[in-house]
Structures are given as structure tokens and as C-alpha cells.
Amino acid sequence: MKQKALSKQELQERREELLAEYSKSHKKNQKLRVLTKKERKVLGLGKDQGKASVRMVRIAPSKVNLVAKLIRGKDLREALAILLYTPKAAAPVLHKLLKSAEANAVNNNELNADQLYVAEVTVGPGPTMKRWLPRGKGSATPILKRSSRITVVLRERDKGGE
């Protein structure tokens, strides 16, 4: 059953309750409904992070994940330096994505660029192009040209260190 979106007044009345509910982690089968953009704005969710994503990158997700593992949890400047000297095809894509997430965090959410770190890097499969290679005796072999979708989330480190 679909739940209706809450009005602005309802959101402000239940603000504390909703923030506590949505900040807890949940099991995959007990997830809460996804909030609308208006609801997130009223509750102020997502204002503590900079986020950027790209879809349909023509590199296989397994290859992108190798590079993504290098930068997870690192400070932003350190992650950018690692990507600059990593000789993999996914490194320039992730570098550009990190710069975009940094710009989103600094310009949209007024976060301090010196305290940002890579909180999450998720890599998933995008659409796969199917091609065929002719083989002997009239047969053919499939070629799967995979693509990726990548999301980067930057957050500010606490003063005490996270």
C-alpha cells in the first residue's frame, strides 16, 4: 500500500520523531518509504553531505570497484592525490566525480572543504550492451559490453576525528 506524502505542517509537527526514525539503520526488508524532495528539504536531511553520481560509464563495475576501494574513507585531498597517480581507466572518472561532489558540498550545503572525507562510494551495474562475435560452423559468441553507475558521498569529519 502506497503512503501519501506528508504536508509541510505534519512534517514540522513530527519533525523530531521523523528525524530519529530516519537516522536509525534498518534491515533491507524493513526499510522506510523514500521521502520526497520536499519532505527532505523541510526535515533538513542531506544537508550534511555533498553527493554526485554518474550513470552509463563504459567501464565494467568490477574494474571501477578496484579503484573505488582505494579511496573509501580517505580525506578528500588524499583521495584526489591517489586518483591522480592511479593508472586505471576509472581513475579520471572518479576524480571528476569527487570534484563535483566537493563543489556540491561547498556551494550547496556550505560545508568546509578542508574537513571533507569520502564517506561512501557505491558502484553498481548500468545497462549492458549485447554484441555477437561470429565463430566457426555458423555459431556465435556473445560479447557483453558492461557499464557502471557510480555515486560518491562526501561528509565533514567531526572535530574529534571520525
Side-chain angles (χ1 to χ4, degrees):
M1 187 174 99
K2 251 185 159 179
Q3 294 179 339
K4 69 175 184 74
L6 298 172
S7 70
K8 195 171 187 176
Q9 185 180 359
E10 289 174 313
L11 284 169
Q12 288 170 339
E13 288 171 3
R14 296 181 50 205
R15 187 172 204 281
E16 300 304 320
E17 175 191 338
L18 288 169
L19 284 174
E21 199 173 325
Y22 275 91
S23 63
K24 290 189 294 187
S25 60
H26 297 280
K27 292 181 181 174
K28 224 174 193 180
N29 62 348
Q30 295 175 337
K31 283 205 171 176
L32 300 170
R33 77 175 180 84
V34 177
L35 295 173
T36 63
K37 189 174 182 179
K38 181 182 122 184
E39 290 172 336
R40 286 195 313 271
K41 188 174 181 181
V42 170
L43 293 173
L45 293 173
K47 283 292 186 184
D48 63 337
Q49 64 187 22
K51 191 174 184 180
S53 61
V54 64
R55 294 171 29 186
M56 296 180 67
V57 176
R58 263 293 289 123
I59 306 170
S62 56
K63 293 179 181 181
V64 177
N65 211 21
L66 288 172
V67 182
K69 284 180 185 177
L70 295 175
I71 62 170
R72 272 192 194 105
K74 302 269 194 294
D75 287 334
L76 177 63
R77 299 288 161 231
E78 187 181 350
L80 289 170
I82 288 170
L83 291 175
L84 195 60
Y85 295 105
T86 302
K88 296 279 187 186
V93 176
L94 280 169
H95 190 277
K96 190 173 179 179
L97 202 56
L98 270 182
K99 295 296 275 181
S100 176
E102 177 190 14
N104 289 339
V106 172
N107 297 327
N108 299 345
N109 299 337
E110 288 106 27
L111 298 178
N112 184 358
D114 297 329
Q115 294 180 343
L116 292 176
Y117 75 101
V118 182
E120 298 172 32
V121 181
T122 55
V123 180
T128 303
M129 292 189 290
K130 281 111 177 158
R131 302 292 182 262
W132 296 94
L133 183 68
R135 302 307 290 242
K137 298 182 180 178
S139 65
T141 300
I143 297 173
L144 301 178
K145 297 189 175 208
R146 300 182 190 279
S147 68
S148 307
R149 53 175 54 201
I150 312 164
T151 304
V152 173
V153 176
L154 301 178
R155 288 202 178 92
E156 246 181 5
R157 279 214 195 274
D158 294 340
K159 299 282 187 212
E162 209 167 298

